[in-house]
Amino acid sequence: MPNNEVVMKIENLDKFFPMKKSVFSRAKHFLHAVDKINFEIKRGKVLSLVGESGCGKTTTGKTLLKLYEPTGGKINFLGRDVTHLMNADDKKWFHSKTQMIFQDPFESLNPRKTIFDIVSEPMNIQNFETLKKRELMVMEILKRVGISPPDAFLWRYPHELSGGQRQRVAIARALVMKPEFVVADEPTSMLDVSIRTQVMKLMMELIREMNMSFLYITHDLAVARYMADEISVMYLGRMVEYANSEELINNPLHPYTKALISAVPVPDPEFKRKSVEIKGGIGKPIDPLPRCRFYDRCPFAMEICSQKEPELIEVGENHKVACFLYEQR
Amino acid sequence: MKPILELRNLKMYYDTQAGQVKAADDVSFVLNEGESIGLVGESGCGKTSVSMSIMKLLPENGRIISGNIFFDGKDIVNFSDEEMNKIRWAGIAMIFQAAMNSLNPVYRVGDQIVEAITAHEPNVTFEEARQRVANLYKLVGLDPERMDNYPHEYSGGMKQRAIIAMSLACNPKLIIADEPTTALDVIVQDTILRELEKVQKKLNMSMIYISHDIAVIAEVASRIAIMYAGKIVEMSDSVVIFKRPAHPYAIGLMSSFPSIRGEKKELVTIPGEPPNLLNAPDHCRFAPRCPFATDECWKQTPSYSEIESNHFVACFHPQNLKKLVNMNA
Ligand SMILES: Nc1ncnc2c1ncn2[C@@H]1O[C@H](COP(=O)(O)OP(=O)(O)OP(=O)(O)O)[C@@H](O)[C@H]1O
Ligand SMILES: Nc1ncnc2c1ncn2[C@@H]1O[C@H](COP(=O)(O)OP(=O)(O)OP(=O)(O)O)[C@@H](O)[C@H]1O
Ligand SMILES: [Mg+2]
Ligand SMILES: [Mg+2]
């Protein structure tokens, strides 16, 4: 298999939500949760999506996995156009090769099922191996995510677990069948450093061993740096910067990315970090004006930024940014 | 300094088919008015259980076995539900770890907060309450126009911020914030932490801040308690905990986080398995993972004692750490 095979590719992906006052009224306004996003993820690679809360990361992930119908654009998976999956066989094929780790482990685990049922479900759907074998695999994966000893947890229900334990059960479930492509939405947000590291190492091992590909959504740049080959930064539905991980962290270009990196807290009570320089502001993704979406908060805003929207342009090797500061006139 | 909350030898256990889970075992601390303490520890160590005990919102299989919880001078361990209802939100408010699904899915988010206000303050009119909620929305960086949306129309971080707004709605004396910013990017987190600090100063509010993120704790808390397997193993001023952690677990915790500053480093984990709280043993619970463990540690539980002024540790071999120990060596 060629190593630079593209596993997931999206072109001009849009997802708009209608905003209506009541169920009966026609929507006049649209919330642009995902607005003309492009990227591709190769086999064995991890792309991390970072950005402000509410900027459209989860919506991108869910649309990619067809949990939402896209408003526009194309989704291509393993060379096949999956934008509109029609028949049951195609859907089954797609869902057997992809998995999502949902952002909220309190919402995503079925409260009436035991941990064993939850984790073994992907195997049951595909009628995989014998029950005995499934049990062993469940124990094995639980152990690897630090749920130990696994047999103390198998017959518990999700509400009998701590937040971080639930999060790890969700990870175990998504990875147990070693899918080809995973959208991991803030999968380790509730884990302490030690267990988080263990889980990240597990994911990296699987990525290497099985050549899995990941879209890794996180707001934690240190995590993105460790996990991802490339990082893409979103702001109010748009992709504003894209680069190799180290490049993005060491040489951020977009004013939002710069602010994001300077705001990372430092684990030292005596260190006084300077406060974030960008203006506070509340993003409005509903019927956005045709201008830079960061305009209101940008310390470098120019006239042109209020007149049209910057395109994502290549400014260095595999480094793209959507900002007029870097456009040559 | 007047104490607002004091826990004395609190024991909270869950009954399960497989045995007792000792989620809080002899937990004691004092929190003063206007003070913030941080509670950190491995996933599953009992942080949420301690908070739910203080709120007295325990599941059916969870019980307070013994100990006292003094809030504002009164022991609330034996308070009835009715008495607790008066205290919840107006006296002690909690930002739940399950923030994302502690909102009722069938009501508009803004209405739920309005409801919390009018329930405790019958003199406040609907319009006044709505105005207050709008102001709280701005404080946490949410657009007040989104008050009329339903929870499913919010992103993960937006729900979390709505709950933070709700916790502040009735000007409580104490806020227990259980991983309140896990879904927030650093910029939003930074803004909220600063706003919280202002409100806290203005109202002389106290706070228990639970987080797995030591860097965040370093910024918000003046004292830190470190929990391991249901017990507080170390507590002191934040600076002391960072400068000279004494408990081997605390040392491991301090030296194992990924960073975006400096060279990309290999991540370290605290070796060994997370403890099993089920039928917990009568010896030091960290002994199986501790590089300094001796026979003594396997025979009894170390007492929680003051090794220097205001620095409490439960360990037979507290380390005097100017030197930092490499746990993976
Ligand atoms: N089902 C929905 N209906 C209407 N609006 C929605 C829906 N889902 C998301 N949105 C809106 O779309 C925008 C993007 O939301 P999304 O959940 O993708 O953000 P996110 O980047 O994942 O944020 P977070 O980091 O806070 O989880 C937000 O303004 C959100 O309110
Ligand atoms: N209802 C329950 N029944 C039985 N065991 C439970 C129940 N709720 C929690 N536990 C167990 O009690 C222990 C403490 O859980 P708790 O939720 O307090 O942990 P935590 O420190 O908040 O962890 P996290 O950081 O992962 O949220 C865990 O080992 C958990 O599995
Ligand atoms: Mg999200
Ligand atoms: Mg918890």
Side-chain angles (χ1 to χ4, degrees):
Chain A
M1 218 173 279
N3 214 28
N4 51 2
E5 181 197 4
V6 174
V7 171
M8 179 58 87
K9 179 179 171 119
I10 55 172
E11 283 172 82
N12 290 323
L13 190 73
D14 284 334
K15 179 63 195 174
F16 301 164
F17 292 107
M19 287 279 113
K20 36 192 178 182
K21 282 273 174 248
S22 82
V23 204
F24 303 107
S25 60
R26 288 261 294 297
K28 289 198 199 69
H29 303 283
F30 289 90
L31 190 151
H32 294 221
V34 177
D35 203 340
K36 299 228 166 9
I37 298 280
N38 293 284
F39 59 70
E40 57 178 47
I41 304 173
K42 297 205 169 105
R43 188 170 290 283
K45 295 286 176 192
V46 179
L47 170 69
S48 180
L49 207 53
V50 303
E52 188 162 61
S53 165
C55 71
K57 303 179 295 295
T58 298
T59 309
T60 303
K62 286 190 175 172
T63 312
L64 217 65
L65 290 190
K66 308 281 300 152
L67 300 172
Y68 286 144
E69 216 24 56
T71 310
K74 275 210 182 105
I75 307 169
N76 191 294
F77 178 64
L78 294 175
R80 282 168 72 171
D81 185 345
V82 296
T83 320
H84 305 286
L85 282 175
M86 290 304 175
N87 69 55
D89 279 350
D90 287 350
K91 279 187 187 153
K92 195 168 174 206
W93 171 79
F94 183 70
H95 291 295
S96 71
K97 292 193 175 306
T98 57
Q99 276 290 339
M100 176 138 188
I101 304 169
F102 291 93
Q103 182 171 13
D104 185 354
F106 288 87
E107 211 171 73
S108 63
L109 301 181
N110 187 336
R112 280 177 295 277
K113 291 202 164 148
T114 62
I115 304 310
F116 175 74
D117 287 338
I118 290 171
V119 179
S120 58
E121 193 179 81
M123 297 189 263
N124 301 348
I125 294 173
Q126 294 181 41
N127 230 329
F128 183 78
E129 295 273 5
T130 59
L131 185 64
K132 191 77 214 138
K133 178 90 201 260
R134 284 181 218 169
E135 236 177 81
L136 287 175
M137 282 174 72
V138 170
M139 302 271 270
E140 158 79 16
I141 191 90
L142 285 177
K143 218 173 149 72
R144 287 181 81 177
V145 296
I147 299 286
S148 78
D151 41 349
F153 288 89
L154 283 182
W155 312 113
R156 285 205 212 164
Y157 292 90
H159 70 264
E160 297 175 322
L161 263 52
S162 79
Q165 287 167 345
R166 270 183 249 216
Q167 204 161 37
R168 285 175 279 154
V169 166
I171 295 172
R173 177 196 148 92
L175 300 182
V176 70
M177 285 294 281
K178 310 194 168 73
E180 297 203 25
F181 178 72
V182 176
V183 173
D185 193 356
E186 306 272 13
T188 61
S189 61
M190 293 180 191
L191 304 182
D192 56 281
V193 274
S194 179
I195 289 178
R196 192 213 286 157
T197 303
Q198 181 183 343
V199 171
M200 291 197 305
K201 282 185 168 162
L202 165 68
M203 289 191 275
M204 291 306 275
E205 273 164 37
L206 288 176
I207 289 164
R208 294 211 182 103
E209 281 164 29
M210 313 301 301
N211 253 327
M212 288 162 74
S213 309
F214 265 64
L215 178 71
Y216 199 99
I217 300 172
T218 177
H219 62 269
D220 187 335
L221 279 162
V223 168
R225 179 187 191 188
Y226 180 79
M227 288 296 299
D229 302 285
E230 287 159 339
I231 300 178
S232 145
V233 184
M234 268 181 96
Y235 189 81
L236 278 188
R238 303 280 297 187
M239 191 189 286
V240 296
E241 188 160 359
Y242 179 95
N244 293 336
S245 309
E246 285 302 304
E247 164 74 7
L248 190 105
I249 284 179
N250 294 319
N251 182 25
L253 296 177
H254 196 281
Y256 175 69
T257 317
K258 286 187 173 164
L260 199 61
I261 287 175
S262 73
V264 174
V266 177
D268 178 354
E270 287 177 317
F271 180 89
K272 284 283 164 249
R273 187 166 47 79
K274 349 189 254 285
S275 197
V276 181
E277 278 161 25
I278 58 171
K279 295 167 226 168
I282 295 166
K284 288 197 193 275
I286 301 170
D287 302 331
L289 296 169
R291 63 180 188 187
C292 175
R293 297 196 186 172
F294 193 53
Y295 176 72
D296 298 326
R297 299 171 69 187
C298 184
F300 310 104
M302 305 174 289
E303 208 182 321
I304 185 171
C305 311
S306 70
Q307 291 160 351
K308 57 180 195 177
E309 223 172 326
E311 295 285 326
L312 195 65
I313 50 166
E314 188 132 3
V315 289
E317 203 199 325
N318 202 26
H319 193 158
K320 295 182 192 140
V321 64
C323 176
F324 288 115
L325 289 173
Y326 304 94
E327 255 182 49
Q328 330 236 311
R329 258 146 297 168
Chain B
M1 271 188 298
K2 189 166 160 259
I4 182 79
L5 180 79
E6 179 175 357
L7 264 57
R8 253 185 237 161
N9 299 93
L10 179 75
K11 284 186 200 279
M12 202 290 286
Y13 296 175
Y14 298 104
D15 293 315
T16 70
Q17 282 184 347
Q20 265 181 342
V21 175
K22 299 186 178 177
D25 210 1
D26 267 328
V27 170
S28 304
F29 62 82
V30 179
L31 172 67
N32 290 315
E33 272 183 359
E35 191 193 22
S36 293
I37 58 170
L39 186 57
V40 295
E42 201 160 48
S43 169
C45 72
K47 304 179 294 295
T48 300
S49 303
V50 169
S51 347
M52 291 308 224
S53 306
I54 299 170
M55 288 295 273
K56 300 207 42 211
L57 291 173
L58 294 174
E60 264 172 36
N61 68 334
R63 321 177 263 137
I64 294 178
I65 305 285
S66 61
N68 313 84
I69 302 171
F70 294 96
F71 174 69
D72 221 359
K74 289 192 213 68
D75 187 352
I76 59 173
V77 162
N78 293 315
F79 266 30
S80 66
D81 252 358
E82 208 178 314
E83 286 168 300
M84 277 313 293
N85 277 336
K86 289 194 198 120
I87 294 181
R88 287 185 206 125
W89 296 112
I92 313 175
M94 179 149 174
I95 302 169
F96 294 96
Q97 185 174 22
M100 301 179 202
N101 73 347
S102 50
L103 290 165
N104 189 327
V106 301
Y107 294 105
R108 297 173 199 274
V109 179
D111 289 351
Q112 298 186 41
I113 308 178
V114 167
E115 164 74 30
I117 296 176
T118 49
H120 283 101
E121 300 172 44
N123 296 330
V124 176
T125 68
F126 178 76
E127 274 315 314
E128 282 164 354
R130 256 190 92 83
Q131 188 52 49
R132 211 150 108 190
V133 177
N135 290 338
L136 288 167
Y137 260 53
K138 286 187 209 142
L139 190 123
V140 296
L142 288 174
D143 183 353
E145 276 173 40
R146 304 288 296 271
M147 277 167 65
D148 292 328
N149 284 160
Y150 291 92
H152 78 269
E153 296 173 312
Y154 277 32
S155 78
M158 289 166 68
K159 283 185 236 178
Q160 210 164 34
R161 283 180 275 165
I163 297 284
I164 296 177
M166 182 134 125
S167 75
L168 292 169
C170 302
N171 303 328
K173 288 187 182 155
L174 164 65
I175 289 192
I176 305 177
D178 192 355
E179 302 273 12
T181 61
T182 46
L184 301 179
D185 58 281
V186 282
I187 296 180
V188 171
Q189 173 177 289
D190 186 83
T191 325
I192 291 187
L193 294 183
R194 274 164 222 275
E195 291 298 335
L196 264 179
E197 203 179 331
K198 274 190 228 156
V199 176
Q200 196 188 354
K201 285 228 172 79
K202 201 169 87 190
L203 302 174
N204 200 25
M205 205 168 73
S206 315
M207 191 147 88
I208 299 178
Y209 198 102
I210 299 176
S211 176
H212 64 273
D213 188 339
I214 312 200
V216 172
I217 292 280
E219 297 207 347
V220 297
S222 55
R223 276 192 302 148
I224 298 178
I226 296 176
M227 244 182 123
Y228 187 81
K231 288 182 175 292
I232 292 185
V233 294
E234 182 158 2
M235 184 160 187
S236 192
D237 293 343
S238 307
V239 178
V240 174
I241 295 278
F242 275 86
K243 280 266 163 74
R244 35 178 199 283
H247 194 283
Y249 172 67
I251 297 162
L253 202 62
M254 295 293 152
S255 53
S256 56
F257 35 82
S259 168
I260 64 159
R261 289 170 220 282
E263 288 278 289
K264 184 170 166 180
K265 288 183 302 224
E266 185 59 25
L267 299 179
V268 294
T269 57
I270 298 170
E273 314 238 306
N276 183 9
L277 298 191
L278 199 63
N279 308 321
D282 286 330
H283 56 69
C284 171
R285 294 180 186 179
F286 191 60
R289 300 170 79 180
C290 184
F292 309 104
T294 57
D295 285 353
E296 198 178 11
C297 311
W298 289 93
K299 284 194 189 116
Q300 46 185 318
T301 310
S303 64
Y304 183 63
S305 50
E306 199 165 5
I307 54 164
E308 60 180 315
S309 165
N310 254 323
H311 187 176
F312 294 85
V313 183
C315 178
F316 289 119
H317 309 290
Q319 303 296 304
N320 178 6
L321 279 146
K322 297 281 191 286
K323 51 178 198 308
L324 221 64
V325 175
N326 184 354
M327 304 273 297
N328 281 40

